[in-house]
Amino acid sequence: MTNKRAAAERKKPFRLKGEGQFIFWCLFPALLFVAVFTYYPLLRGVVMSFQNYTLFDLLNIQFIGLDNFVDVVTSPDFPRVALNSFFWVVCSLFFQLLFGLTLALLMRRKFRGRGFYQAFVFFPWAMSGFLIGLIWRWMFNAQFGVINDLLMKTGLIDAPIPFLADGIWAMAAVIIANIWYGVAFFAIMILAALQSIPEELYEAAAMDGASRFQQLWRITLPYILPTMLVTILLRVIWILNFPDIIYAMTNGGPAGSTHIFATFMIEKVIFGQDYGQASAIGVIIVLILLLFTVFYVKATRVEKGGDF
């Protein structure tokens, strides 16, 4: 009898009743919004990556297999774009984490003007990335830029440096601007984790004779490690998909020397009108981030981290 009842219950169609229907209709607008503006563009982009989708020939759109991916990977610009993307992420991430941790440790202490100092540190995160790129573009200007002016007044250089006209200097300039922009995010996240550390731990460590460095190494860093791991993962994803500063400062120039995957994709759309190859680059970015996320989570076991 028990088996028959279980079989009969399995045959009954699934229906939402009462509270379940109410919850579903409350969530439906959000689910519809995400489906229309996130999942549909994602699926459409994947489909376009396998088509010869260009605005010059909209009447002859066909599936061409992996041709777009082959064209992108075999492009003479691809190795430089990949290398630039690597340095863009690694250098930005390292210094954002270093300076963000330092600022968070300083802001944890109580001092006069602490609120003003925190607002000053967090201010860049409230600004548009494109606007920040324009500001730093003028700061690095060879003729009117404040950076060249300060370097000349301090006697470090004899003539203005064309920061944005030289490939190496331009890449360094956009990375510096991105570091300045992203430090605030690390400082916010780490400061939130620091404020959750019980003061009793530091008092007990001080009574045992632990130095400041030992407290930092034995208490602070282990306690905020889960937050740092999650924050690093988020920043890697955002930095690789963040073309705003580069596009505002250099447009990927000079001669494509500051292109990363995101700006390279934009160039394919704006100048080449080739949505097929641009979508292929987007799929490559997604695959890179997916592989990185899987290996990162496995290596750090970040899924077991604490709250942040």
Side-chain angles (χ1 to χ4, degrees):
M1 292 295 292
T2 304
N3 293 335
K4 291 181 178 180
R5 288 181 180 178
E9 291 179 358
R10 285 197 296 267
K11 291 180 180 180
K12 291 182 180 180
F14 174 76
R15 293 178 181 177
L16 291 175
K17 296 182 180 180
E19 186 177 349
Q21 287 185 351
F22 176 76
I23 295 174
F24 171 78
W25 288 113
C26 287
L27 294 176
F28 181 75
L31 295 174
L32 181 63
F33 184 87
V34 172
V36 172
F37 294 100
T38 301
Y39 293 113
Y40 173 74
L42 177 62
L43 294 176
R44 187 74 181 96
V46 173
V47 172
M48 289 170 60
S49 67
F50 296 98
Q51 296 176 326
N52 59 337
Y53 199 111
T54 62
L55 294 186
F56 300 116
D57 195 7
L58 290 176
L59 300 178
N60 189 33
I61 298 175
Q62 299 175 353
F63 283 93
I64 56 175
L66 298 175
D67 288 359
N68 285 326
F69 294 92
V70 173
D71 291 341
V72 168
V73 174
T74 58
S75 168
D77 297 323
F78 186 81
R80 180 173 57 187
V81 171
L83 189 62
N84 286 347
S85 300
F86 175 79
F87 283 113
W88 166 254
V89 173
V90 172
C91 295
S92 298
L93 184 70
F94 175 78
F95 288 104
Q96 285 178 9
L97 173 60
L98 178 63
F99 295 145
L101 175 61
T102 303
L103 290 174
L105 291 172
L106 292 174
M107 288 187 293
R108 187 176 184 271
R109 301 179 181 179
K110 295 182 180 180
F111 56 89
R112 181 175 297 179
R114 178 186 178 189
F116 175 80
Y117 181 71
Q118 289 180 344
F120 177 77
V121 171
F122 298 156
F123 176 71
W125 193 248
M127 297 176 64
S128 163
F130 191 82
L131 177 60
I132 289 175
L134 293 177
I135 294 173
W136 280 91
R137 180 175 181 175
W138 279 104
M139 290 176 64
F140 279 112
N141 186 278
Q143 297 178 335
F144 314 107
V146 64
I147 294 178
N148 268 311
D149 184 55
L150 291 175
L151 291 175
M152 292 183 66
K153 286 182 178 179
T154 54
L156 296 176
I157 59 174
D158 298 324
I161 300 175
F163 287 105
L164 303 181
D166 179 84
I168 297 178
W169 280 114
M171 195 65 206
V174 297
I175 290 175
I176 290 172
N178 192 42
I179 291 171
W180 182 82
Y181 176 67
V183 163
F185 182 76
F186 271 103
I188 293 171
M189 300 297 288
I190 295 175
L191 180 61
L194 289 174
Q195 291 176 340
S196 66
I197 303 177
E199 289 293 335
E200 292 80 4
L201 295 178
Y202 293 105
E203 294 174 359
M207 292 179 62
D208 291 337
S211 64
R212 290 283 186 179
F213 178 78
Q214 289 174 328
Q215 293 178 24
L216 173 66
W217 188 256
R218 298 288 185 179
I219 299 176
T220 305
L221 292 181
Y223 204 95
I224 66 174
L225 183 60
T227 299
M228 292 175 61
L229 293 177
V230 174
T231 307
I232 289 172
L233 177 60
L234 294 176
R235 286 304 295 158
V236 169
I237 295 172
W238 290 342
I239 291 173
L240 189 60
N241 286 291
F242 188 62
D244 304 39
I245 288 178
I246 294 178
Y247 220 78
M249 291 181 65
T250 64
N251 287 330
S257 59
T258 57
H259 268 314
I260 61 173
F261 284 122
T263 57
F264 192 45
M265 178 175 61
I266 294 175
E267 184 182 64
K268 291 291 184 182
V269 173
I270 295 179
F271 297 104
Q273 302 294 310
D274 193 335
Y275 283 74
Q277 289 195 16
S279 299
I281 298 172
V283 172
I284 291 174
I285 295 174
V286 171
L287 291 176
I288 291 173
L289 291 176
L290 182 61
L291 291 174
F292 168 79
T293 302
V294 170
F295 284 112
Y296 182 83
V297 169
K298 291 295 183 181
T300 61
R301 299 188 181 275
V302 71
E303 73 274 10
K304 297 182 180 179
D307 297 334
F308 66 98

